[in-house]
Amino acid sequence: MATGAAMADRRPPRVRSGLAGMTWPGLPPRPASQALALLYQLEHSQWLAKAELERHQFRQIQLLLRHAFKSVPYYRARHGAWGIDLDQAVTPEILRRHIPILTRPEIQQLGEELLSEEFPKGHGKTGEVLTSGSTGRPIRVVKNELTETFWNALTIRDHLWHRDPNLRLASIRPLPGNRAPYPEGEFFNNWGGMLAQVFANGPSALLNIGTPIADQVEWLQRFDPDYILTYPGNIQAIAIHCERHKIGFPKLKQVHTVSDLLRPEVRKICRDVLNVPVIDVYSSAEVGYIAMQCPDSENLHIQSESVFVEVLKEDGGQCQPGEIGEVVITPLHNLTMPLLRYSIGDFAEVGSCDCGRTLPVLRRIMGRTRSMVKLPGGDEFYASFQDLLTGFDMIRQFQVVRRGPEALEMKLVAVRQLSDAEAGQLTTILQGRFRHPFSVTFSYVDEIPRSAGGKFEDYKDESEAVT
Ligand SMILES: [Zn+2]
């Protein structure tokens, strides 16, 4: 396929040398050479036979369990009751049968009890991350330098799967304070991070995502990137602006989306208006990379060298391709704070891929931006809006606003207005999705404003005193 062929034509990236008196072959300094040592194996492990991949993964899980039951108070106290025998080889079935799922509220409650009292020195200094997740209640996870090295190696894998690091990369991201403001942003002579220490690479530029969309577009025109990295909602707004003002980016080859849920309409508008594909990634601050888009398709390959991922049906059984279930993750290398079978709060559809890589496949991720909806009768539930717009190609973006106990307004950025029949169909879809016969009105807007954090919200409750 196109992207695979493009990869094969590409020159291999040049390894930088950190050693005086040596320029070729390259030998990078220590943290970078560690990342390179992992990358060498990642190049091979993506093609391993499925059983072999799982065997290696469970050698590491066996070690992780041994460590957790010995040095982590929460697990140590439950080892006997859970009845898992570590003198026998642990398999996915044994793990599922003996280790209960760990939820976000449990992580909040357990606090220090999940921290290891002693872990190998070589895993480096610890640091903590706070993550809010889709429900907005933050959890604290402690990681270390080894988990950081994995993050870096997998970041490079993502680049090598999808990009030529000699080209130009523009990033538009949330940044602390007023860092990288318009009109300048910040410019660098490489892509930064571990990639820049391992491989020779091209220039990059950074802009604060708080910048108004028209200014972002003007900045992008000046930088003229080959790749844009940003949030899905942001590139959607950029593409809507470009469509309206007939602006193109002549050199652009690809949009790379991170952080939020990528909806089908974002892929579509990037293809239609910017003439480029979107490459997505599924990661989280607490567990690192979970899955990355295949170089040859829109599937996401689970990063099995770093995480063990289960997608579970309501009865606890493993989903088969085509089935949607709860995502449960066991990070393999965080011995500082082992999370065994952590339910991250997302749902995903299991898939399969014919690219030859044996890393398991998620066809799509759902529910990372689910919103809590309160019905007039008092019921509450999480609504997901993915695929809401299937068949409504004239709609570029939407937001559903709760106007009162019985009233929804759907704000639309659209190429044209809906016909009466289309409005009727969409009303029926919304009433189904909201599980209540709300009255629905449609309004057409030029722009849907972002929240303070720079994110786009699918659903906003602006009604008062809904009980
Ligand atoms: Zn694939």
Side-chain angles (χ1 to χ4, degrees):
M1 295 189 196
T3 45
M7 290 248 303
D9 295 343
R10 203 184 291 161
R11 282 173 298 152
R14 181 164 63 79
V15 175
R16 290 168 66 108
S17 193
L19 206 60
M22 180 177 183
T23 183
W24 181 83
L27 191 60
R30 193 168 165 275
S33 52
Q34 282 189 332
L36 200 55
L38 285 174
L39 272 172
Y40 170 80
Q41 296 169 78
L42 295 177
E43 280 303 299
H44 294 93
S45 53
Q46 61 186 313
W47 310 102
L48 283 177
K50 195 173 167 286
E52 202 183 344
L53 186 68
E54 195 175 279
R55 194 168 54 77
H56 287 308
Q57 210 180 20
F58 273 78
R59 280 200 298 140
Q60 178 63 28
I61 286 178
Q62 191 108 14
L63 185 155
L64 178 72
L65 292 175
R66 217 177 274 284
H67 168 81
F69 288 127
K70 184 166 168 254
S71 78
V72 178
Y74 169 71
Y75 292 117
R76 191 169 51 218
R78 280 151 189 86
H79 188 186
W82 289 354
I84 185 165
D85 177 7
L86 294 182
D87 292 329
Q88 282 192 355
V90 175
T91 62
E93 292 68 36
I94 290 176
L95 196 71
R96 196 177 310 149
R97 201 171 334 127
H98 291 277
I99 311 278
I101 286 170
L102 184 68
T103 63
R104 292 179 68 91
E106 282 170 334
I107 294 178
Q108 284 171 327
Q109 271 169 23
L110 289 167
E112 304 278 309
E113 272 192 80
L114 278 170
L115 293 182
S116 169
E117 291 159 348
E118 192 181 9
F119 62 94
K121 263 206 181 74
H123 293 214
K125 290 198 201 84
T126 61
E128 65 174 57
V129 291
L130 275 175
T131 100
S132 59
S134 31
T135 53
R137 296 176 65 193
I139 59 166
R140 185 179 77 113
V141 172
V142 181
K143 307 206 295 186
N144 57 48
E145 286 174 39
L146 177 65
T147 57
E148 192 64 18
T149 302
F150 258 95
W151 173 270
N152 289 328
L154 293 173
T155 302
I156 299 174
R157 170 190 255 178
D158 180 60
H159 285 315
L160 297 183
W161 271 8
H162 297 290
R163 280 155 228 119
D164 180 346
N166 294 297
L167 302 182
R168 297 166 73 81
L169 172 71
S171 300
I172 305 178
R173 289 189 279 129
L175 296 160
N178 190 28
R179 207 192 138 187
Y182 181 82
E184 298 304 327
E186 285 179 30
F187 288 80
F188 306 92
N189 60 12
N190 60 53
W191 289 16
M194 190 59 78
L195 179 80
Q197 293 180 47
V198 177
F199 294 117
N201 54 117
S204 71
L206 183 63
L207 185 69
N208 198 307
I209 203 168
T211 308
I213 295 298
D215 291 343
Q216 289 188 29
V217 170
E218 192 280 326
W219 179 87
L220 284 168
Q221 284 180 291
R222 262 188 290 137
F223 183 66
D224 199 15
D226 295 282
Y227 309 111
I228 299 173
L229 180 154
T230 192
Y231 284 23
N234 194 55
I235 197 66
Q236 188 178 20
I238 287 172
I240 290 168
H241 181 92
C242 288
E243 181 174 48
R244 203 170 283 154
H245 296 90
K246 303 198 166 25
I247 296 170
F249 306 113
K251 275 172 56 181
L252 190 66
K253 292 167 180 62
Q254 174 201 106
V255 167
H256 180 26
T257 51
V258 294
S259 187
D260 289 346
L261 180 77
L262 175 68
R263 275 206 223 84
E265 66 262 28
V266 177
R267 281 198 194 274
K268 180 169 166 44
I269 196 170
C270 287
R271 220 164 29 229
D272 290 356
V273 175
L274 304 178
N275 294 311
V276 295
V278 175
I279 304 295
D280 194 27
V281 69
Y282 177 33
S283 70
S284 86
E286 63 270 34
V287 301
Y289 284 102
I290 302 162
M292 286 176 189
Q293 190 169 324
C294 175
D296 302 317
S297 73
E298 290 181 359
N299 291 317
L300 293 149
H301 281 289
I302 290 169
Q303 299 300 292
S304 295
E305 299 91 343
S306 177
V307 284
F308 174 63
V309 175
E310 299 164 86
V311 183
L312 302 176
K313 294 185 280 201
E314 272 184 39
D315 67 6
Q318 177 70 37
C319 289
Q320 298 305 309
E323 294 179 330
I324 293 165
E326 178 186 2
V327 179
V328 170
I329 300 171
T330 303
L332 303 184
H333 302 100
N334 186 355
L335 271 60
T336 308
M337 182 170 170
L339 300 176
L340 306 179
R341 306 193 75 219
Y342 161 54
S343 173
I344 193 167
D346 293 333
F347 286 77
E349 180 183 332
V350 173
S352 61
C353 194
D354 54 13
C355 68
R357 287 173 191 80
T358 44
L359 300 172
V361 172
L362 302 177
R363 198 174 81 79
R364 55 186 177 136
I365 317 297
M366 298 136 97
R368 261 184 296 164
T369 56
R370 280 177 303 161
S371 314
M372 180 66 94
V373 173
K374 282 185 186 176
L375 293 181
D379 278 357
E380 286 184 326
F381 67 97
Y382 280 107
S384 164
F385 299 96
Q386 204 187 29
D387 295 350
L388 184 69
L389 296 181
T390 305
F392 292 89
D393 285 355
M394 74 298 283
I395 299 174
R396 291 305 194 190
Q397 198 181 13
F398 74 90
Q399 184 179 54
V400 180
V401 184
R402 181 75 167 276
R403 287 295 180 202
E406 297 285 344
L408 298 176
E409 176 191 355
M410 192 175 193
K411 291 184 179 176
L412 301 174
V413 177
V415 180
R416 63 167 175 81
Q417 298 215 349
L418 299 176
S419 69
D420 288 348
E422 288 162 345
Q425 283 168 22
L426 198 48
T427 299
T428 306
I429 292 171
L430 273 180
Q431 289 169 341
R433 203 61 68 101
F434 278 87
R435 306 177 190 177
H436 187 79
F438 284 107
S439 72
V440 180
T441 53
F442 297 95
S443 62
Y444 296 87
V445 295
D446 284 342
E447 198 184 343
I448 289 171
R450 289 174 287 175
S451 70
K455 296 195 176 193
F456 291 85
E457 293 164 305
D458 293 325
Y459 175 69
K460 257 170 92 168
D461 193 337
E462 292 187 354
S463 64
E464 280 174 8
V466 179
T467 52

